[in-house]
């Protein structure tokens, strides 16, 4: 769980500490170099000002005056003539001579030169200033400064740097820890939430903290949990309905089979019961077929092979096929369809759709009523209307009639024997055809289903 934050933390540490180290060393170098440059130029300036005095009076008095001035200071002076012979120095001993480099080149600029600037390894930094009279060099002023003082100076600077570095490191470390925590906390929460979801707990709580991608992810996760919850509930309802639907006919079958097996039963009775058993078995097999149909649609293994269908022929075929049932109930089925009207769809599926709707119209209409199919063909769309003067559907049931296993009459109407799957199959099939289905109904007046499909496949010119 902490892996991501550790990785992020280490990455931040490497990057930020690297940057800090680079900046600190750059700053340190610049400060040290600037310091040394300052020291060297002030040494040079001091030498030059001694030189200026000596240029005016290059006599014993001036030389000892200069030496006296230097013996009080932290710097030292050595005055030589043009041959390099020492005329005077502010040193107590002769050690300085080792570092006295007599200029090989005669040309030394008036403003002087740096003879030694290696403060790290040598005991002195040294500058030279030429003494000129009438454009002739008559001697040199050497200025010495012990590098010990520079070392102490740099040492103090280093101490400051170490302190500042430690404080910077500590602060960065704290900031990195807080930052990685803040960054990974919502992720960790979401990880826990997905774990909960996978365990089947869909009531995850993810506060929407930010408006960025992480916040959006949290919202999507919540939606996912809600959808999964809905699906789970729907699946449970569906399974409950299926088991109920399967159990009821089976109870009948078992009950009537038990009765038929009794010895003292009359032949006539027995036949009646066996007929019920056959009826129930038939109902079971239709139910299973319907469920299979729905499962195929759900799994998308269901293929729609569209072609141009002549609607008139399809309707007439259906009318002939269903006429015995309609005749039995003395319901008049009329078809009102232009002979040429055609439609883009799968013929078998289209037949299934209209068959189901006509079956309903017949089942839920009283004897001697009328059922009508009206086709209106337009250029782009073809409308099929199935109208009956039957029982109608109460307004409060209308939104649900396309749900699986939904029946207006909740009691199992033995005579009609519907399972409530017909309309949900119809709806799925219509949607698979990219068509639409609507229903209008008035209780005890009648019901109208309005279907709309594309007239032609592809673009219509
Ligand atoms: N034309 C209609 N007139 C009145 N009620 C209807 C009509 N069509 C459907 N219904 C109501 O809608 C319910 C659902 O219809 P659906 O076709 O889905 O199921 P079913 O006819 O009961 O069973 P199945 O079609 O699976 O055998 C029906 O039970 C019925 O109450
Ligand atoms: Mg039906």
């Amino acid at each position: 769980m902490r892996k991501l934050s550790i990785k992020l933390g280490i990455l931040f540490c490497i990057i930020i500490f690297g940057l800090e180290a680079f900046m600190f060393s750059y700053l340190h170098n610049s400060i040290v170099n600037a310091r040394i440059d300052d020291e060297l130029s002030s040494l040079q300036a001091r030498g030059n000002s001694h030189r200026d005095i000596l240029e005016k009076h290059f006599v014993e008095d001036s030389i000892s005056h200069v030496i006296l001035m230097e013996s009080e200071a932290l710097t030292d002076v050595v005055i030589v003539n043009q041959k390099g012979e020492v005329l005077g120095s502010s040193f107590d001993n002769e050690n300085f001579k080792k570092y006295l480099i007599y200029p090989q080149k005669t040309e030394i600029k008036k403003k002087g030169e740096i003879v030694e600037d290696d403060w790290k390894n040598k005991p002195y930094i040294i500058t030279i200033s030429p003494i000129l009279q009438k454009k002739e060099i008559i001697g040199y002023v050497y200025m010495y400064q012990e590098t010990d003082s520079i070392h102490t100076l740099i040492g103090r600077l280093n101490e400051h740097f170490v302190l500042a570095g430690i404080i910077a490191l500590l602060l960065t470390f704290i900031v990195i820890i807080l930052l990685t925590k803040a960054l990974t906390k919502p992720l960790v929460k979401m990880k826990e939430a997905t774990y909960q979801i996978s365990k089947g707990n869909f009531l995850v709580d993810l506060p929407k903290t930010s408006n960025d991608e992480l916040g959006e992810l949290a919202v999507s996760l919540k939606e996912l949990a809600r959808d999964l919850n809905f699906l789970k509930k729907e699946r449970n309802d569906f399974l409950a309905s299926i088991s109920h639907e399967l159990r009821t006919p089976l109870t009948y079958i078992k009950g009537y089979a038990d009765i038929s097996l009794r010895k003292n039963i009359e032949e006539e009775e027995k036949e009646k019961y066996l007929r019920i058993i056959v009826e129930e078995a038939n109902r079971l097999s239709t139910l299973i077929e319907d469920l299979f149909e729905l499962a195929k649609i759900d799994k998308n293994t269901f293929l729609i092979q569209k072609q141009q269908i002549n609607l008139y022929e399809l309707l007439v075929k259906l009318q002939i096929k269903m006429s015995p049932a309609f005749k039995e109930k003395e319901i008049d089925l009329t078809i009102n369809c232009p002979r040429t009207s055609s439609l883009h769809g799968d013929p078998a599926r289209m037949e299934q759709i209209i068959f189901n709707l006509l079956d309903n119209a017949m089942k839920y209409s009283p004897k001697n009523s009328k059922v009508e199919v009206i086709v209106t063909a337009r250029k782009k769309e073809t409308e099929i209307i199935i109208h009956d003067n039957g029982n109608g559907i109460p307004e409060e049931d209308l939104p649900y009639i396309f749900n699986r296993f939904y029946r207006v009459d909740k009691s199992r109407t033995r005579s009609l024997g519907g399972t409530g799957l017909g309309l949900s199959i119809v709806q799925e099939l219509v949607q698979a055809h990219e068509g639409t289905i609507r229903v209008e109904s008035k209780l005890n007046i009648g019901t109208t289903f309005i279907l709309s499909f594309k007239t032609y496949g592809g673009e219509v010119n």
Side-chain angles (χ1 to χ4, degrees):
M1 160 184 140
R2 296 256 155 260
K3 270 185 202 150
L4 183 66
S5 57
I6 289 175
K7 269 190 207 162
L8 262 183
I10 292 176
L11 194 71
F12 279 155
C13 276
I14 292 174
I15 293 173
I16 293 177
F17 289 166
L19 274 178
E20 275 180 5
F22 172 74
M23 267 152 54
F24 266 67
S25 72
Y26 178 76
L27 195 65
H28 184 263
N29 271 349
S30 320
I31 291 176
V32 168
N33 287 342
R35 252 347 290 176
I36 302 295
D37 282 352
D38 273 0
E39 293 290 320
L40 280 167
S41 55
S42 77
L43 194 66
Q44 182 83 68
R46 214 172 156 88
N48 286 355
S49 76
H50 292 327
R51 184 265 321 272
D52 291 345
I53 293 170
L54 293 171
E55 264 181 0
K56 278 183 200 133
H57 314 281
F58 196 51
V59 289
E60 195 92 354
D61 262 6
S62 311
I63 291 171
S64 36
H65 175 71
V66 166
I67 287 166
L68 188 72
M69 265 166 65
E70 280 306 322
S71 56
E72 296 296 313
L74 285 170
T75 47
D76 282 297
V77 69
V78 174
I79 299 155
V80 300
N81 64 12
Q82 83 269 43
K83 287 181 197 141
E85 292 156 357
V86 177
L87 301 177
S89 89
S90 62
F91 284 103
D92 308 332
N93 51 44
E94 304 271 285
N95 276 351
F96 69 88
K97 283 200 171 156
K98 280 193 267 184
Y99 309 102
L100 195 63
I101 305 138
Y102 181 71
Q104 294 298 310
K105 46 176 189 176
T106 43
E107 279 295 308
I108 287 185
K109 281 181 220 131
K110 175 105 203 278
K111 65 178 170 60
E113 273 179 18
I114 292 159
V115 177
E116 185 59 81
D117 63 354
D118 184 6
W119 63 275
K120 278 186 189 150
N121 305 310
K122 299 284 165 59
Y124 301 104
I125 51 171
I126 306 165
T127 62
I128 185 171
S129 315
I131 308 168
L132 290 155
Q133 260 181 3
K134 293 174 194 149
K135 300 206 171 156
E136 283 280 310
I137 291 179
I138 53 166
Y140 300 96
V141 175
Y142 282 96
M143 288 300 299
Y144 283 64
Q145 184 179 340
E146 285 190 35
T147 50
D148 278 358
S149 63
I150 297 176
H151 279 289
T152 13
L153 195 83
I154 303 296
R156 267 210 308 272
L157 186 73
N158 287 349
E159 274 169 25
H160 287 303
F161 260 84
V162 169
L163 191 70
I166 289 172
I167 291 173
L169 278 189
L170 273 178
L171 284 181
T172 345
F173 200 67
I174 291 169
V175 168
I176 285 173
I177 287 177
L178 293 180
L179 199 72
T180 44
K181 271 237 171 96
L183 269 179
T184 50
K185 199 172 151 196
L187 281 178
V188 171
K189 267 201 171 164
M190 277 183 252
K191 204 207 119 202
E192 274 162 14
T194 43
Y195 179 75
Q196 289 296 325
I197 292 172
S198 76
K199 284 273 163 269
N201 174 17
F202 299 117
L203 295 167
V204 288
D205 185 33
L206 280 170
K208 188 178 187 297
T209 43
S210 52
N211 265 329
D212 53 13
E213 287 85 347
L214 278 179
E216 281 167 18
L217 183 60
V219 172
S220 313
L221 260 183
K222 261 200 271 187
E223 276 167 11
L224 176 72
R226 208 186 48 215
D227 289 353
L228 281 174
N229 195 20
F230 176 76
L231 280 179
K232 188 180 144 195
K233 202 180 149 302
E234 203 186 36
R235 191 192 58 190
N236 288 347
D237 291 353
F238 187 56
L239 282 177
S241 309
I242 288 180
S243 57
H244 176 258
E245 292 301 324
L246 289 177
R247 210 175 322 116
T248 322
L250 277 176
T251 323
Y252 278 98
I253 290 174
K254 191 180 172 297
Y256 285 113
D258 281 345
I259 300 172
S260 326
L261 279 176
R262 281 186 205 149
K263 294 241 162 52
N264 54 355
I265 199 154
E266 278 177 31
E267 204 52 39
E268 208 177 301
E269 286 274 285
K270 199 172 184 171
E271 201 186 306
K272 196 173 104 196
Y273 296 145
L274 285 176
R275 221 180 281 286
I276 294 174
I277 290 174
V278 170
E279 224 171 72
E280 290 297 318
N282 278 341
R283 192 206 301 279
L284 262 183
S285 82
T286 350
L287 172 67
I288 288 164
E289 246 166 56
D290 283 354
L291 283 174
F292 209 63
E293 197 68 38
L294 277 173
K296 271 200 288 188
I297 298 175
D298 276 354
K299 264 177 34 194
N300 287 329
T301 49
F302 160 88
L303 269 184
I304 292 238
Q305 280 163 337
K306 285 193 200 168
Q307 62 186 70
Q308 264 337 104
I309 315 167
N310 184 316
L311 251 188
Y312 178 77
E313 281 170 15
L314 186 137
L315 289 174
V316 169
K317 208 170 86 185
L318 258 178
Q319 190 184 28
I320 296 168
K321 196 159 144 186
M322 298 183 81
S323 67
F326 273 85
K327 266 205 188 103
E328 196 178 320
K329 264 193 104 171
E330 289 162 40
I331 296 173
D332 185 23
L333 171 63
T334 52
I335 286 174
N336 189 340
C337 174
R339 275 170 190 269
T340 52
S341 71
S342 95
L343 184 146
H344 192 65
D346 183 319
R349 301 305 181 187
M350 200 52 73
E351 198 182 308
Q352 207 178 347
I353 293 170
I354 298 167
F355 176 87
N356 263 305
L357 294 173
L358 284 178
D359 179 57
N360 281 351
M362 181 201 69
K363 273 198 299 195
Y364 307 111
S365 293
K367 274 195 171 182
N368 289 318
S369 64
K370 269 186 130 190
V371 172
E372 207 177 359
V373 182
I374 307 158
V375 175
T376 332
R378 298 205 190 89
K379 198 172 179 192
K380 285 191 175 177
E381 277 178 347
T382 297
E383 209 171 63
I384 306 169
I385 295 171
I386 290 140
H387 175 75
D388 66 54
N389 307 112
N391 309 351
I393 304 163
E395 212 179 315
E396 64 265 27
D397 288 298
L398 268 182
Y400 309 108
I401 55 163
F402 293 103
N403 291 1
R404 290 174 188 185
F405 296 115
Y406 194 88
R407 284 190 309 255
V408 174
D409 184 2
K410 302 287 183 296
S411 68
R412 258 179 76 86
T413 36
R414 308 291 314 155
S415 54
L416 301 176
T419 53
L421 284 177
L423 282 180
S424 60
I425 293 175
V426 166
Q427 194 185 38
E428 303 263 9
L429 289 175
V430 169
Q431 278 166 2
H433 275 85
E434 293 158 60
T436 57
I437 180 162
R438 276 186 304 128
V439 56
E440 286 166 10
S441 187
K442 280 229 157 63
L443 204 55
N444 296 326
I445 291 184
T447 307
T448 311
F449 281 93
I450 302 135
L451 300 159
S452 173
F453 295 99
K454 270 192 198 152
T455 306
Y456 299 101
E459 281 304 303
V460 181
N461 300 319

